[in-house]
Amino acid sequence: MVRTGSAGRTSVAAGPTLAVVAREAGVSVPTASKVVNGREDVAPDTRRRVTEALDRLGYVRRPRFDGARTPRTVDLVVDSLESSGSGAVLHGAEEAAHDAGLEIVVSAALTRGRSGRPERGWLDKLVTRGSSGVLFHLAELGGHQYAWLEQHRIPFVMIDPVLEPPPDVASVGAANWQGGVTATEHLLALGHERIAVVAGHRHTMSSGARVAGYRSALASAGVRQHAEYVRHAGFDEAAALRRMRELLDLPEPPTAVFVCSDRMALGVYEALTERDLRVPDDMSVIGFDDLPEARWLAPPLTTVRQPLSEMAATALLLLLRIMDGHHPESTRTELSTRLVERASTAPPRD
């Protein structure tokens, strides 16, 4: 099983990672990688800042595989290349692949029909490309797709799967239950007792665990649970808007709401704005994910950070072990979440 540090960070190797160097220099991970690899398509000032950060932090380039061999290729398949969540996954996978001397190919799985499941065509491309393994960051895979991967003996690891994968499939996710506890305990500590939750899909792993954590925190605090305070919006912004309207229309509306994704929090903010309600004066709001959108909101969103980049890096290291013939001790690896306090939560009004 891939081991992580106390903060959930993957232990790739001693010393700073390329992501740390990129952050220090104020550039993207791909740009820092270009400087490390001696690429010419980098502006002089940018190259200078990255080089200084490399020296200052003591970055040591990891050895690659034998140069006489063609680097192994790993595929990263995502639902969409446009979401900020996919961007975080890509950065984590790219960094870990670079450190391991792997080539990584990124693609979006085309979907068909109402099922939302990927079409088969891109699976055939994995064999054509000669991929050594695959990382999946998808809403779900179908049973026939799991069977296809098994038939072609393609190693793979799921990143943050929405539905629980088969018991023999390796996956990396976040500690969603503990994240739900953390979010709810934060609101309880501020003095809130009428706390609602806007959750994702009813039967998904992450949503179910976050709601379970919410319920557990309320029970531990001896706070009454209101059935009408639990609403499901399917991780959809427009649906979250409607669910928040419903909560505001209750005879006794909540004073705080735990929203199980930052994206849904956008809809919650919109519903509050419609009613001329202010965050956090009239309603405290806490999200989950810590996507860039959380910082763009006004006021910035208090949220539970889901370490997507670290999850992707951990998944790639796990995949590398599987590719090398090692079977993981446990098929499920969870990385810790943490509270990021901003300005969207405050004590309730008297």
PDB file of all heavy atoms in Angstrom, residues 76-109:
ATOM      1  N   LEU A  76      -3.553   8.713 -18.615  1.00  0.00           N
ATOM      2  CA  LEU A  76      -4.452   9.318 -17.631  1.00  0.00           C
ATOM      3  C   LEU A  76      -5.738   9.643 -18.367  1.00  0.00           C
ATOM      4  O   LEU A  76      -5.746  10.475 -19.276  1.00  0.00           O
ATOM      5  CB  LEU A  76      -3.845  10.578 -17.016  1.00  0.00           C
ATOM      6  CG  LEU A  76      -4.783  11.428 -16.155  1.00  0.00           C
ATOM      7  CD1 LEU A  76      -5.256  10.639 -14.930  1.00  0.00           C
ATOM      8  CD2 LEU A  76      -4.100  12.725 -15.720  1.00  0.00           C
ATOM      9  N   VAL A  77      -6.823   8.993 -17.995  1.00  0.00           N
ATOM     10  CA  VAL A  77      -8.115   9.185 -18.663  1.00  0.00           C
ATOM     11  C   VAL A  77      -9.057   9.894 -17.702  1.00  0.00           C
ATOM     12  O   VAL A  77      -9.307   9.409 -16.589  1.00  0.00           O
ATOM     13  CB  VAL A  77      -8.716   7.831 -19.108  1.00  0.00           C
ATOM     14  CG1 VAL A  77     -10.015   8.058 -19.874  1.00  0.00           C
ATOM     15  CG2 VAL A  77      -7.716   7.067 -19.973  1.00  0.00           C
ATOM     16  N   VAL A  78      -9.573  11.051 -18.116  1.00  0.00           N
ATOM     17  CA  VAL A  78     -10.445  11.862 -17.269  1.00  0.00           C
ATOM     18  C   VAL A  78     -11.784  12.087 -17.957  1.00  0.00           C
ATOM     19  O   VAL A  78     -11.917  11.885 -19.163  1.00  0.00           O
ATOM     20  CB  VAL A  78      -9.785  13.224 -16.939  1.00  0.00           C
ATOM     21  CG1 VAL A  78      -8.472  13.021 -16.193  1.00  0.00           C
ATOM     22  CG2 VAL A  78      -9.542  14.040 -18.207  1.00  0.00           C
ATOM     23  N   ASP A  79     -12.769  12.522 -17.181  1.00  0.00           N
ATOM     24  CA  ASP A  79     -14.077  12.840 -17.762  1.00  0.00           C
ATOM     25  C   ASP A  79     -14.003  14.069 -18.658  1.00  0.00           C
ATOM     26  O   ASP A  79     -14.630  14.132 -19.699  1.00  0.00           O
ATOM     27  CB  ASP A  79     -15.097  13.090 -16.655  1.00  0.00           C
ATOM     28  CG  ASP A  79     -15.689  11.806 -16.112  1.00  0.00           C
ATOM     29  OD1 ASP A  79     -16.045  10.932 -16.928  1.00  0.00           O
ATOM     30  OD2 ASP A  79     -15.786  11.658 -14.887  1.00  0.00           O
ATOM     31  N   SER A  80     -13.241  15.075 -18.210  1.00  0.00           N
ATOM     32  CA  SER A  80     -13.171  16.337 -18.926  1.00  0.00           C
ATOM     33  C   SER A  80     -11.818  16.974 -18.678  1.00  0.00           C
ATOM     34  O   SER A  80     -11.254  16.859 -17.583  1.00  0.00           O
ATOM     35  CB  SER A  80     -14.285  17.282 -18.459  1.00  0.00           C
ATOM     36  OG  SER A  80     -14.099  18.590 -18.952  1.00  0.00           O
ATOM     37  N   LEU A  81     -11.304  17.656 -19.683  1.00  0.00           N
ATOM     38  CA  LEU A  81     -10.038  18.371 -19.541  1.00  0.00           C
ATOM     39  C   LEU A  81     -10.259  19.819 -19.117  1.00  0.00           C
ATOM     40  O   LEU A  81      -9.306  20.570 -18.960  1.00  0.00           O
ATOM     41  CB  LEU A  81      -9.270  18.342 -20.873  1.00  0.00           C
ATOM     42  CG  LEU A  81      -8.791  16.965 -21.336  1.00  0.00           C
ATOM     43  CD1 LEU A  81      -8.210  17.047 -22.733  1.00  0.00           C
ATOM     44  CD2 LEU A  81      -7.763  16.399 -20.364  1.00  0.00           C
ATOM     45  N   GLU A  82     -11.524  20.226 -18.938  1.00  0.00           N
ATOM     46  CA  GLU A  82     -11.842  21.620 -18.671  1.00  0.00           C
ATOM     47  C   GLU A  82     -12.020  21.939 -17.192  1.00  0.00           C
ATOM     48  O   GLU A  82     -11.905  23.094 -16.798  1.00  0.00           O
ATOM     49  CB  GLU A  82     -13.116  22.009 -19.432  1.00  0.00           C
ATOM     50  CG  GLU A  82     -12.979  21.896 -20.950  1.00  0.00           C
ATOM     51  CD  GLU A  82     -14.272  22.242 -21.671  1.00  0.00           C
ATOM     52  OE1 GLU A  82     -15.284  22.470 -20.976  1.00  0.00           O
ATOM     53  OE2 GLU A  82     -14.259  22.284 -22.909  1.00  0.00           O
ATOM     54  N   SER A  83     -12.320  20.952 -16.364  1.00  0.00           N
ATOM     55  CA  SER A  83     -12.602  21.237 -14.963  1.00  0.00           C
ATOM     56  C   SER A  83     -11.321  21.473 -14.174  1.00  0.00           C
ATOM     57  O   SER A  83     -10.253  20.941 -14.497  1.00  0.00           O
ATOM     58  CB  SER A  83     -13.384  20.079 -14.339  1.00  0.00           C
ATOM     59  OG  SER A  83     -12.553  18.947 -14.180  1.00  0.00           O
ATOM     60  N   SER A  84     -11.428  22.300 -13.137  1.00  0.00           N
ATOM     61  CA  SER A  84     -10.271  22.585 -12.291  1.00  0.00           C
ATOM     62  C   SER A  84      -9.856  21.340 -11.513  1.00  0.00           C
ATOM     63  O   SER A  84      -8.673  21.168 -11.195  1.00  0.00           O
ATOM     64  CB  SER A  84     -10.584  23.741 -11.335  1.00  0.00           C
ATOM     65  OG  SER A  84     -11.793  23.510 -10.641  1.00  0.00           O
ATOM     66  N   GLY A  85     -10.811  20.454 -11.216  1.00  0.00           N
ATOM     67  CA  GLY A  85     -10.452  19.212 -10.537  1.00  0.00           C
ATOM     68  C   GLY A  85      -9.559  18.338 -11.394  1.00  0.00           C
ATOM     69  O   GLY A  85      -8.580  17.764 -10.917  1.00  0.00           O
ATOM     70  N   SER A  86      -9.878  18.249 -12.694  1.00  0.00           N
ATOM     71  CA  SER A  86      -9.031  17.478 -13.610  1.00  0.00           C
ATOM     72  C   SER A  86      -7.648  18.109 -13.729  1.00  0.00           C
ATOM     73  O   SER A  86      -6.644  17.403 -13.855  1.00  0.00           O
ATOM     74  CB  SER A  86      -9.690  17.396 -14.986  1.00  0.00           C
ATOM     75  OG  SER A  86     -10.866  16.609 -14.935  1.00  0.00           O
ATOM     76  N   GLY A  87      -7.600  19.436 -13.672  1.00  0.00           N
ATOM     77  CA  GLY A  87      -6.302  20.114 -13.724  1.00  0.00           C
ATOM     78  C   GLY A  87      -5.432  19.747 -12.546  1.00  0.00           C
ATOM     79  O   GLY A  87      -4.222  19.521 -12.699  1.00  0.00           O
ATOM     80  N   ALA A  88      -6.013  19.673 -11.349  1.00  0.00           N
ATOM     81  CA  ALA A  88      -5.251  19.293 -10.165  1.00  0.00           C
ATOM     82  C   ALA A  88      -4.753  17.857 -10.269  1.00  0.00           C
ATOM     83  O   ALA A  88      -3.615  17.543  -9.902  1.00  0.00           O
ATOM     84  CB  ALA A  88      -6.115  19.472  -8.916  1.00  0.00           C
ATOM     85  N   VAL A  89      -5.595  16.968 -10.790  1.00  0.00           N
ATOM     86  CA  VAL A  89      -5.201  15.577 -10.982  1.00  0.00           C
ATOM     87  C   VAL A  89      -4.058  15.485 -11.986  1.00  0.00           C
ATOM     88  O   VAL A  89      -3.078  14.755 -11.781  1.00  0.00           O
ATOM     89  CB  VAL A  89      -6.404  14.736 -11.453  1.00  0.00           C
ATOM     90  CG1 VAL A  89      -5.956  13.363 -11.948  1.00  0.00           C
ATOM     91  CG2 VAL A  89      -7.411  14.577 -10.324  1.00  0.00           C
ATOM     92  N   LEU A  90      -4.163  16.248 -13.075  1.00  0.00           N
ATOM     93  CA  LEU A  90      -3.118  16.238 -14.097  1.00  0.00           C
ATOM     94  C   LEU A  90      -1.779  16.701 -13.529  1.00  0.00           C
ATOM     95  O   LEU A  90      -0.736  16.089 -13.791  1.00  0.00           O
ATOM     96  CB  LEU A  90      -3.538  17.133 -15.265  1.00  0.00           C
ATOM     97  CG  LEU A  90      -2.485  17.394 -16.345  1.00  0.00           C
ATOM     98  CD1 LEU A  90      -2.001  16.091 -16.951  1.00  0.00           C
ATOM     99  CD2 LEU A  90      -3.048  18.318 -17.421  1.00  0.00           C
ATOM    100  N   HIS A  91      -1.784  17.752 -12.729  1.00  0.00           N
ATOM    101  CA  HIS A  91      -0.533  18.258 -12.161  1.00  0.00           C
ATOM    102  C   HIS A  91       0.130  17.214 -11.264  1.00  0.00           C
ATOM    103  O   HIS A  91       1.344  17.001 -11.332  1.00  0.00           O
ATOM    104  CB  HIS A  91      -0.794  19.538 -11.372  1.00  0.00           C
ATOM    105  CG  HIS A  91      -1.072  20.718 -12.239  1.00  0.00           C
ATOM    106  ND1 HIS A  91      -1.698  21.847 -11.786  1.00  0.00           N
ATOM    107  CD2 HIS A  91      -0.825  20.940 -13.543  1.00  0.00           C
ATOM    108  CE1 HIS A  91      -1.823  22.725 -12.775  1.00  0.00           C
ATOM    109  NE2 HIS A  91      -1.305  22.181 -13.849  1.00  0.00           N
ATOM    110  N   GLY A  92      -0.680  16.561 -10.423  1.00  0.00           N
ATOM    111  CA  GLY A  92      -0.116  15.551  -9.542  1.00  0.00           C
ATOM    112  C   GLY A  92       0.433  14.363 -10.296  1.00  0.00           C
ATOM    113  O   GLY A  92       1.520  13.854  -9.984  1.00  0.00           O
ATOM    114  N   ALA A  93      -0.304  13.894 -11.312  1.00  0.00           N
ATOM    115  CA  ALA A  93       0.151  12.750 -12.098  1.00  0.00           C
ATOM    116  C   ALA A  93       1.385  13.097 -12.912  1.00  0.00           C
ATOM    117  O   ALA A  93       2.317  12.287 -13.039  1.00  0.00           O
ATOM    118  CB  ALA A  93      -0.972  12.274 -13.022  1.00  0.00           C
ATOM    119  N   GLU A  94       1.421  14.319 -13.477  1.00  0.00           N
ATOM    120  CA  GLU A  94       2.557  14.734 -14.303  1.00  0.00           C
ATOM    121  C   GLU A  94       3.830  14.789 -13.480  1.00  0.00           C
ATOM    122  O   GLU A  94       4.897  14.331 -13.910  1.00  0.00           O
ATOM    123  CB  GLU A  94       2.272  16.102 -14.933  1.00  0.00           C
ATOM    124  CG  GLU A  94       3.281  16.546 -15.979  1.00  0.00           C
ATOM    125  CD  GLU A  94       4.541  17.175 -15.414  1.00  0.00           C
ATOM    126  OE1 GLU A  94       4.506  17.646 -14.253  1.00  0.00           O
ATOM    127  OE2 GLU A  94       5.561  17.183 -16.122  1.00  0.00           O
ATOM    128  N   GLU A  95       3.730  15.344 -12.283  1.00  0.00           N
ATOM    129  CA  GLU A  95       4.908  15.447 -11.430  1.00  0.00           C
ATOM    130  C   GLU A  95       5.443  14.073 -11.056  1.00  0.00           C
ATOM    131  O   GLU A  95       6.646  13.800 -11.141  1.00  0.00           O
ATOM    132  CB  GLU A  95       4.568  16.237 -10.165  1.00  0.00           C
ATOM    133  CG  GLU A  95       5.739  16.329  -9.201  1.00  0.00           C
ATOM    134  CD  GLU A  95       5.318  16.839  -7.841  1.00  0.00           C
ATOM    135  OE1 GLU A  95       4.154  17.274  -7.694  1.00  0.00           O
ATOM    136  OE2 GLU A  95       6.145  16.784  -6.922  1.00  0.00           O
ATOM    137  N   ALA A  96       4.536  13.188 -10.625  1.00  0.00           N
ATOM    138  CA  ALA A  96       4.961  11.849 -10.225  1.00  0.00           C
ATOM    139  C   ALA A  96       5.522  11.063 -11.406  1.00  0.00           C
ATOM    140  O   ALA A  96       6.490  10.311 -11.268  1.00  0.00           O
ATOM    141  CB  ALA A  96       3.792  11.095  -9.586  1.00  0.00           C
ATOM    142  N   ALA A  97       4.918  11.245 -12.589  1.00  0.00           N
ATOM    143  CA  ALA A  97       5.417  10.558 -13.787  1.00  0.00           C
ATOM    144  C   ALA A  97       6.809  11.046 -14.144  1.00  0.00           C
ATOM    145  O   ALA A  97       7.693  10.257 -14.513  1.00  0.00           O
ATOM    146  CB  ALA A  97       4.456  10.782 -14.959  1.00  0.00           C
ATOM    147  N   HIS A  98       7.026  12.351 -14.035  1.00  0.00           N
ATOM    148  CA  HIS A  98       8.351  12.902 -14.332  1.00  0.00           C
ATOM    149  C   HIS A  98       9.386  12.321 -13.384  1.00  0.00           C
ATOM    150  O   HIS A  98      10.486  11.921 -13.795  1.00  0.00           O
ATOM    151  CB  HIS A  98       8.310  14.428 -14.217  1.00  0.00           C
ATOM    152  CG  HIS A  98       9.657  15.073 -14.338  1.00  0.00           C
ATOM    153  ND1 HIS A  98      10.458  15.316 -13.240  1.00  0.00           N
ATOM    154  CD2 HIS A  98      10.342  15.506 -15.420  1.00  0.00           C
ATOM    155  CE1 HIS A  98      11.591  15.883 -13.654  1.00  0.00           C
ATOM    156  NE2 HIS A  98      11.536  16.005 -14.964  1.00  0.00           N
ATOM    157  N   ASP A  99       9.061  12.299 -12.098  1.00  0.00           N
ATOM    158  CA  ASP A  99      10.009  11.783 -11.114  1.00  0.00           C
ATOM    159  C   ASP A  99      10.323  10.304 -11.343  1.00  0.00           C
ATOM    160  O   ASP A  99      11.421   9.841 -11.040  1.00  0.00           O
ATOM    161  CB  ASP A  99       9.453  11.972  -9.698  1.00  0.00           C
ATOM    162  CG  ASP A  99       9.458  13.433  -9.258  1.00  0.00           C
ATOM    163  OD1 ASP A  99      10.130  14.244  -9.912  1.00  0.00           O
ATOM    164  OD2 ASP A  99       8.775  13.760  -8.282  1.00  0.00           O
ATOM    165  N   ALA A 100       9.344   9.558 -11.873  1.00  0.00           N
ATOM    166  CA  ALA A 100       9.531   8.123 -12.091  1.00  0.00           C
ATOM    167  C   ALA A 100      10.089   7.791 -13.468  1.00  0.00           C
ATOM    168  O   ALA A 100      10.335   6.628 -13.771  1.00  0.00           O
ATOM    169  CB  ALA A 100       8.194   7.402 -11.898  1.00  0.00           C
ATOM    170  N   GLY A 101      10.288   8.808 -14.318  1.00  0.00           N
ATOM    171  CA  GLY A 101      10.810   8.556 -15.652  1.00  0.00           C
ATOM    172  C   GLY A 101       9.796   7.961 -16.594  1.00  0.00           C
ATOM    173  O   GLY A 101      10.155   7.222 -17.509  1.00  0.00           O
ATOM    174  N   LEU A 102       8.516   8.262 -16.385  1.00  0.00           N
ATOM    175  CA  LEU A 102       7.456   7.748 -17.243  1.00  0.00           C
ATOM    176  C   LEU A 102       6.951   8.824 -18.192  1.00  0.00           C
ATOM    177  O   LEU A 102       7.011  10.013 -17.884  1.00  0.00           O
ATOM    178  CB  LEU A 102       6.268   7.260 -16.392  1.00  0.00           C
ATOM    179  CG  LEU A 102       6.500   6.099 -15.428  1.00  0.00           C
ATOM    180  CD1 LEU A 102       5.282   5.934 -14.527  1.00  0.00           C
ATOM    181  CD2 LEU A 102       6.771   4.818 -16.202  1.00  0.00           C
ATOM    182  N   GLU A 103       6.463   8.394 -19.340  1.00  0.00           N
ATOM    183  CA  GLU A 103       5.726   9.288 -20.232  1.00  0.00           C
ATOM    184  C   GLU A 103       4.243   9.155 -19.906  1.00  0.00           C
ATOM    185  O   GLU A 103       3.761   8.051 -19.651  1.00  0.00           O
ATOM    186  CB  GLU A 103       5.971   8.916 -21.698  1.00  0.00           C
ATOM    187  CG  GLU A 103       7.427   9.023 -22.148  1.00  0.00           C
ATOM    188  CD  GLU A 103       7.899  10.464 -22.207  1.00  0.00           C
ATOM    189  OE1 GLU A 103       7.038  11.370 -22.292  1.00  0.00           O
ATOM    190  OE2 GLU A 103       9.118  10.687 -22.162  1.00  0.00           O
ATOM    191  N   ILE A 104       3.533  10.268 -19.912  1.00  0.00           N
ATOM    192  CA  ILE A 104       2.114  10.220 -19.591  1.00  0.00           C
ATOM    193  C   ILE A 104       1.303  10.827 -20.729  1.00  0.00           C
ATOM    194  O   ILE A 104       1.655  11.871 -21.275  1.00  0.00           O
ATOM    195  CB  ILE A 104       1.829  10.937 -18.256  1.00  0.00           C
ATOM    196  CG1 ILE A 104       0.395  10.681 -17.807  1.00  0.00           C
ATOM    197  CG2 ILE A 104       2.111  12.422 -18.322  1.00  0.00           C
ATOM    198  CD1 ILE A 104       0.162  11.017 -16.333  1.00  0.00           C
ATOM    199  N   VAL A 105       0.246  10.137 -21.113  1.00  0.00           N
ATOM    200  CA  VAL A 105      -0.665  10.589 -22.171  1.00  0.00           C
ATOM    201  C   VAL A 105      -2.013  10.881 -21.515  1.00  0.00           C
ATOM    202  O   VAL A 105      -2.563  10.028 -20.818  1.00  0.00           O
ATOM    203  CB  VAL A 105      -0.830   9.522 -23.268  1.00  0.00           C
ATOM    204  CG1 VAL A 105      -1.854   9.974 -24.298  1.00  0.00           C
ATOM    205  CG2 VAL A 105       0.512   9.241 -23.940  1.00  0.00           C
ATOM    206  N   VAL A 106      -2.523  12.089 -21.743  1.00  0.00           N
ATOM    207  CA  VAL A 106      -3.777  12.508 -21.116  1.00  0.00           C
ATOM    208  C   VAL A 106      -4.869  12.569 -22.172  1.00  0.00           C
ATOM    209  O   VAL A 106      -4.665  13.092 -23.270  1.00  0.00           O
ATOM    210  CB  VAL A 106      -3.624  13.891 -20.456  1.00  0.00           C
ATOM    211  CG1 VAL A 106      -4.916  14.282 -19.731  1.00  0.00           C
ATOM    212  CG2 VAL A 106      -2.449  13.891 -19.491  1.00  0.00           C
ATOM    213  N   SER A 107      -6.035  12.029 -21.843  1.00  0.00           N
ATOM    214  CA  SER A 107      -7.150  12.073 -22.779  1.00  0.00           C
ATOM    215  C   SER A 107      -8.457  12.116 -22.008  1.00  0.00           C
ATOM    216  O   SER A 107      -8.529  11.711 -20.847  1.00  0.00           O
ATOM    217  CB  SER A 107      -7.125  10.854 -23.711  1.00  0.00           C
ATOM    218  OG  SER A 107      -7.201   9.650 -22.968  1.00  0.00           O
ATOM    219  N   ALA A 108      -9.485  12.652 -22.677  1.00  0.00           N
ATOM    220  CA  ALA A 108     -10.829  12.685 -22.107  1.00  0.00           C
ATOM    221  C   ALA A 108     -11.633  11.559 -22.730  1.00  0.00           C
ATOM    222  O   ALA A 108     -11.617  11.377 -23.954  1.00  0.00           O
ATOM    223  CB  ALA A 108     -11.494  14.036 -22.374  1.00  0.00           C
ATOM    224  N   ALA A 109     -12.326  10.803 -21.900  1.00  0.00           N
ATOM    225  CA  ALA A 109     -13.132   9.683 -22.391  1.00  0.00           C
ATOM    226  C   ALA A 109     -14.445  10.208 -22.945  1.00  0.00           C
ATOM    227  O   ALA A 109     -15.194  10.888 -22.257  1.00  0.00           O
ATOM    228  CB  ALA A 109     -13.396   8.686 -21.266  1.00  0.00           C
TER     229      ALA A 109
END
